[in-house]
Amino acid sequence: MRCSHCGICCTKTGMLLSNADIELLERAGYGRREFVRYDKNGYAKLRNRNGYCVFYDSEKHRCKAYKHRPSGCRIYPVVYSEEDGVIADDLCPEKDTASADELKRKGTKVVKLLDRIDSEAETRKQRISL
Ligand code: SF4
Ligand code: SF4
């Protein structure tokens, strides 16, 4: 797909993180506390600062952690919606440039990723309630 670098997907992000995403960013030198927040259900999400993802450079309109960005950011604009299943996110102005093949390939990935993230959140929640 084409990306116009509009920054919409990096604005007020609620991007979910897998343990592997967190570890990849930590190996790149970022401290977990800088970029991860946990919600009450045990999900790890990207932090925001001044209305943008902490990794977003709002002057250059680029991701500062591009090489190490989370899987969900790599898969975007393909997302999973409870109502519609695998779709290209309406928020992305370039969503129609994603091919059917990309939608299928990334759709498989997003479903697997969300399964893993659900299971990791459940484990985290159980650990906290022990
Ligand atoms: S919303 Fe779409 S076009 Fe805009 S930066 Fe994200 S992927 Fe690129
Ligand atoms: S990690 Fe990068 S691509 Fe993902 S939301 Fe943050 S700035 Fe955007």
Side-chain angles (χ1 to χ4, degrees), residues 9-10 13 15 46 53 55-56 63-64 69-70 73:
C9 59
C10 308
T13 181
M15 182 58 75
L46 278 174
C53 168
F55 292 120
Y56 189 63
C63 174
K64 289 186 271 188
R69 70 197 186 286
C73 300

Side-chain angles (χ1 to χ4, degrees), residues 54-120:
V54 288
F55 292 120
Y56 189 63
D57 183 331
S58 55
E59 285 178 11
K60 295 182 181 160
H61 303 281
R62 289 291 187 277
C63 174
K64 289 186 271 188
Y66 190 76
K67 270 169 57 183
H68 306 97
R69 70 197 186 286
S71 312
C73 300
R74 295 169 193 267
I75 293 169
Y76 193 85
V78 178
V79 294
Y80 183 81
S81 143
E82 289 289 335
E83 286 170 7
D84 304 315
V86 172
I87 52 163
D89 192 1
D90 276 338
L91 285 176
C92 173
E94 301 290 348
K95 74 177 183 82
D96 293 334
T97 67
S99 66
D101 179 59
E102 186 175 2
L103 209 59
K104 192 174 167 199
R105 190 168 33 82
K106 287 186 167 179
T108 306
K109 283 188 184 175
V110 80
V111 169
K112 279 190 191 158
L113 176 66
L114 289 175
D115 276 351
R116 192 160 73 241
I117 286 175
D118 281 345
S119 136
E120 289 170 355

